[in-house]
Amino acid sequence: QVQLVESGEGLVQAGESLRLSCDIHGSDISFDAMGWYREYPEGRRELVAVMKRDGSKKYGQSVEGRVAIQGDSAKNTVSMQMDNMVPEDSAVYACNAEIPPYVGATWVHDRWGPGIQVTVSS
């Protein structure tokens, strides 16, 4: 069974950096895309950072400039760092991965991790 295993410290002081990592367990197929989204209590979800298999990266508009993602599709792992955290960054950060079911597949499984509650204290 494919699972996304997230790790990182969920309690951050304002001005400090958030570091999160995510690994795919149970799949030998490299991800097509993998990254982080965050969800607020009212249900709004937004992109934080995503990396594709070809190494290209995309960042959410609200965090661009202070977030960086890196990873290895062969190892099915990504890590993210967001600097200068503020209380408004508090949210549930969830890892997402698009994983082909087999090599050469033209479709993907969309998988989510359980999420990490990140709280930024001032």
Side-chain angles (χ1 to χ4, degrees), residues 71-115:
D72 188 334
S73 61
K75 297 180 180 179
N76 272 343
T77 183
V78 295
S79 60
M80 177 195 74
Q81 178 170 319
M82 187 184 303
D83 299 324
N84 299 318
M85 295 288 285
V86 297
E88 291 73 24
D89 291 320
S90 299
V92 174
Y93 286 68
C95 181
N96 173 263
E98 296 177 354
I99 309 167
Y102 51 86
V103 176
T106 57
W107 58 283
V108 297
H109 289 300
D110 189 46
R111 302 289 186 185
W112 288 91

Side-chain angles (χ1 to χ4, degrees), residues 5 10 14 16 19 22 27-28 33 38 47 55 59 61 71 73-74 77-78 83-84 86 90 94 97 99-100 109 118:
V5 179
E16 295 185 343
R19 296 177 182 85
C22 184
S27 174
D28 294 328
R38 61 186 182 184
L47 168 70
Y59 299 107
Q61 281 188 324
S73 61
T77 183
V78 295
D83 299 324
N84 299 318
V86 297
S90 299
I99 309 167
H109 289 300
V118 172

Side-chain angles (χ1 to χ4, degrees), residues 32-71:
D32 271 8
M34 189 170 176
W36 291 91
Y37 290 76
R38 61 186 182 184
E39 186 166 328
Y40 295 94
E42 66 270 25
R44 179 170 59 93
R45 177 186 289 169
E46 65 178 17
L47 168 70
V48 178
V50 66
M51 175 178 170
K52 293 190 175 181
R53 185 189 301 188
D54 63 5
S56 61
K57 301 169 184 178
K58 183 178 180 180
Y59 299 107
Q61 281 188 324
S62 65
V63 298
E64 192 162 16
R66 58 187 184 98
V67 65
I69 189 170
Q70 54 185 312

